[in-house]
Amino acid sequence: MISAGSRSTMEDLMMNENSHPFLDDLRRRCYLYFEESADPQTGLIADRGHADGSSFSTYASSAGCGFGLAAHGVAANNGWISKEEGASRVRKMLSFLVNEAEHERGLVYHFIDRMTGQRALDSEASTIDTALLIAGAMHASQVFQDDRELVEMADTLYERVDWRWMLGDNGCLHMGWQPEVGRLPYQWDRFSELTILVLLAIGAPSSAIPPSCWTAWRRENVLHQQGESFISYPPLFVHQYPQAFFDFRGVVSSDGRNYWRNSQLAHLAQIEFQQSLADQSPQRFGHYGEDLWGLTSSDSSSGYRDWGGPYEDGQAQPDRGIDGTVVPSAAGGGLAIAPEQTMRTLQYQKNTFGESVYGRYGFVNAFNPRRGWIGSDVIGIDTGITLLSASNLLEEGVWQPFMQHSAAQRAFRLAGFRPLTA
């Protein structure tokens, strides 16, 4: 049974003389990415960069910028940078996003040019990426709440979004808008990372969607682990991004589910899934197990892949082309959710593979020990979720400021969340 999230579990874990130094070093390396990949004029964070820091993408991801805004707050609270420097970095990025970056009715494009803020890679004005950007701004506005200009810009970023424009007749939000086709037909209509999007749209200060939208999306697929049911989506990031900001630990949704426990079970199920792959095909997957696990959307030797697992109860097949790749952020993003299991594999990865996978910005995005392939890049959202989850484990460094924001509290209240009783 995972007991993550309890104070005693975290304290016991930190009693290990190697745990705290490792996590502190990992966090500092992760934050270095947000320092060095930020455009000096706009503050926008590169979507990806070479693991050695030699180059960065010319485009930013709006979600990565959201993680960057939260990262600056974490860094300031930990004394890695001064409060004044943290506020300055946040203010620079927010000013550019509010006044210069291209958007559609407040929806920021998934990818934007780091220097100009214009739409990049023919991407969509994205509901989920805008939500993650706003979440980072909300966190920063609480950390730097004495900076009136910063808080006002963070509020503007949130207030200008026309959430209702993206709402379908079925109560589900559409994924975005493109100038070539208009509103995308695809919707957030089943379990995924949508929980943070729907909550922020319900709790929005303007153009909020009805609270009933929380129950409009489908709770599927339902799998089982340790005799408990959990709503599954195979890549682990969907179980981590909402949990990085909203503190689901002590609350139950109106549908009777504790989404914190749901995420814990998803992590346990993936470890068991990868162990089953190893047992069935030791030549291909024999390196998978409790020491070495983790699958979430990532780079691979054959391009970017949207993979994870399990996909069905009692079934362990290498779906979506699983080839033995290990994605460190699959565990890194779950540090606060399943600390014993995630610490075990992350320390194993660092100790076993050393500088080949653990470098300037922490872990590379992905590697395949069976094939000898090591990815050349780190990706901002994966480095960011590792930093944020580690900070929640160590000091609740994202949860505490974010949950003090009135919109976060309003979202939980309107969506019908209630305290979890023993």
Side-chain angles (χ1 to χ4, degrees):
M1 181 72 70
I2 293 183
S3 53
S6 69
R7 177 62 59 187
S8 61
T9 297
M10 296 182 184
E11 290 177 350
D12 288 346
L13 184 65
M14 292 304 107
M15 287 296 291
N16 183 317
E17 63 180 10
N18 296 318
S19 296
H20 197 287
F22 167 69
L23 286 177
D24 191 56
D25 182 68
L26 175 60
R27 289 197 302 165
R28 286 173 178 265
R29 289 172 187 251
C30 288
Y31 182 64
L32 186 61
Y33 177 82
F34 293 97
E35 288 188 291
E36 296 188 348
S37 74
D39 184 89
Q41 302 303 317
T42 69
L44 298 182
I45 305 299
D47 174 59
R48 61 169 61 225
H50 285 317
D52 62 3
S54 59
S55 67
F56 300 100
S57 63
T58 59
Y59 55 90
S61 76
S62 46
C65 288
F67 285 127
L69 290 169
H72 293 324
V74 167
N77 276 343
N78 278 279
W80 307 336
I81 57 176
S82 67
K83 262 296 182 62
E84 293 75 18
E85 179 61 26
S88 176
R89 293 176 182 184
V90 169
R91 202 182 310 112
K92 178 189 294 183
M93 194 197 306
L94 286 177
S95 177
F96 188 80
L97 287 166
V98 168
N99 299 306
E100 304 293 339
E102 187 175 3
H103 67 92
E104 298 295 333
R105 301 195 193 185
L107 293 178
V108 182
Y109 281 92
H110 189 156
F111 298 110
I112 53 178
D113 186 281
R114 278 203 300 145
M115 295 179 63
T116 68
Q118 296 299 295
R119 176 195 186 199
L121 305 181
D122 296 326
S123 62
E124 78 286 4
S126 168
T127 48
I128 185 62
D129 293 277
T130 299
L132 290 167
L133 176 62
I134 288 170
M138 289 168 61
H139 176 270
S141 73
Q142 292 299 117
V143 173
F144 305 107
Q145 58 186 285
D146 294 334
D147 190 318
R148 181 175 297 274
E149 180 187 12
L150 184 156
V151 172
E152 288 178 352
M153 289 189 294
D155 289 346
T156 297
L157 196 70
Y158 198 174
E159 291 168 355
R160 73 182 186 182
V161 180
D162 189 351
W163 299 107
R164 294 175 192 163
W165 177 47
M166 286 289 106
L167 189 62
D169 293 338
N170 60 353
C172 295
L173 288 161
H174 287 257
M175 292 190 176
W177 181 92
Q178 286 182 312
E180 297 85 1
V181 299
R183 192 171 69 174
L184 299 180
Y186 315 108
Q187 286 186 297
W188 297 104
D189 58 3
R190 55 164 291 187
F191 176 77
S192 62
E193 68 271 31
L194 64 74
T195 52
I196 189 172
L197 165 63
V198 177
L199 285 171
L200 289 181
I202 288 173
S206 61
S207 188
I209 63 176
S212 59
C213 293
W214 176 254
T215 59
W217 47 275
R218 303 192 304 274
R219 272 67 177 168
E220 56 181 45
N221 292 330
V222 176
L223 302 183
H224 297 84
Q225 177 68 24
Q226 295 185 344
E228 298 180 63
S229 70
F230 70 101
I231 313 173
S232 173
Y233 195 89
L236 281 181
F237 81 89
V238 307
H239 301 277
Q240 299 168 349
Y241 286 9
Q243 305 280 3
F245 293 97
F246 279 96
D247 186 355
F248 289 93
R249 290 175 298 172
V251 294
V252 177
S253 172
S254 58
D255 62 1
R257 188 170 294 275
N258 174 245
Y259 282 86
W260 175 255
R261 183 60 179 163
N262 197 83
S263 292
Q264 291 180 324
L265 292 168
H267 284 73
L268 271 187
Q270 184 171 113
I271 298 170
E272 184 175 294
F273 166 76
Q274 291 192 260
Q275 182 63 64
S276 295
L277 288 178
D279 294 341
Q280 293 173 14
S281 303
Q283 290 187 335
R284 295 176 62 193
F285 304 117
H287 53 290
Y288 281 164
E290 291 184 347
D291 287 335
L292 190 58
W293 61 271
L295 278 173
T296 191
S297 300
S298 73
D299 288 342
S300 77
S301 59
S302 57
Y304 197 80
R305 308 300 292 268
D306 180 33
W307 46 23
Y311 292 82
E312 297 180 48
D313 267 346
Q315 298 291 322
Q317 301 297 327
D319 299 281
R320 301 193 186 185
I322 294 172
D323 64 357
T325 294
V326 176
V327 189
S329 68
L335 276 164
I337 300 169
E340 298 97 330
Q341 290 80 5
T342 54
M343 284 289 291
R344 177 173 177 170
T345 186
L346 290 175
Q347 289 184 307
Y348 177 86
Q349 290 173 42
K350 179 178 181 289
N351 294 337
T352 302
F353 304 103
E355 294 180 357
S356 64
V357 303
Y358 188 78
R360 187 173 186 84
Y361 305 128
F363 289 100
V364 297
N365 183 251
F367 64 99
N368 190 323
R370 187 54 56 97
R371 296 186 176 185
W373 174 82
I374 299 174
S376 61
D377 287 0
V378 295
I379 298 178
I381 53 176
D382 295 333
T383 302
I385 192 60
T386 300
L387 169 60
L388 269 54
S389 190
S391 297
N392 278 331
L393 172 62
L394 289 173
E395 65 221 7
E396 302 186 353
V398 185
W399 288 329
Q400 284 195 3
F402 181 84
M403 291 307 301
Q404 291 171 7
H405 197 286
S406 60
Q409 297 172 18
R410 184 166 59 244
F412 265 178
R413 183 178 70 253
L414 292 175
F417 282 77
R418 62 183 187 273
L420 174 66
T421 56

